[in-house]
Amino acid sequence: MSRTKNPTGFELLYARYYRLLFSTAYMVLRQESDAMDAVQNAALRLYTMDESLFPSDHELTWLHMVVKNEALMVLRKKKPEFRG
């Protein structure tokens, strides 16, 4: 993935994949606002991540995995704890 800490470059990357990533998050969460939060959280995580950790191949597959994991984290936070 060719990305730099340049905000403009990151905005282009975000705009390019937002709809696809939102769809991934929405399939997990089934709520628009939660899906938007998951994508934004993933974007923030990716923006602050060391660029050397980004894969050189299959970037979209990797991005889907990051967003799906972020969506699952949103679900875990919303799920009430079972105390038996």
Side-chain angles (χ1 to χ4, degrees):
M1 171 180 285
S2 57
R3 171 189 81 75
T4 64
K5 294 288 182 175
N6 177 342
T8 304
F10 191 77
E11 287 175 24
L12 292 172
L13 178 70
Y14 186 79
R16 178 179 182 186
Y17 292 123
Y18 178 80
R19 286 183 183 264
L20 292 170
L21 299 177
F22 174 82
S23 295
T24 298
Y26 188 80
M27 283 191 284
V28 173
L29 298 166
R30 297 288 181 207
Q31 290 205 1
E32 188 174 333
S33 62
D34 290 342
M36 289 170 58
D37 288 345
V39 174
Q40 289 176 353
N41 291 343
L44 180 60
R45 183 180 303 252
L46 293 170
Y47 186 75
T48 58
M49 180 184 285
D50 182 356
E51 195 168 334
S52 67
L53 298 175
F54 279 68
S56 57
D57 294 331
H58 310 290
E59 69 181 20
L60 186 55
T61 302
W62 185 75
L63 289 171
H64 277 289
M65 185 179 67
V66 170
V67 168
K68 182 178 177 183
N69 286 338
E70 195 65 43
L72 291 171
M73 288 174 59
V74 169
L75 273 180
R76 282 186 207 110
K77 288 177 186 176
K78 294 185 105 180
K79 184 178 177 180
E81 275 189 43
F82 175 75
R83 296 182 187 219

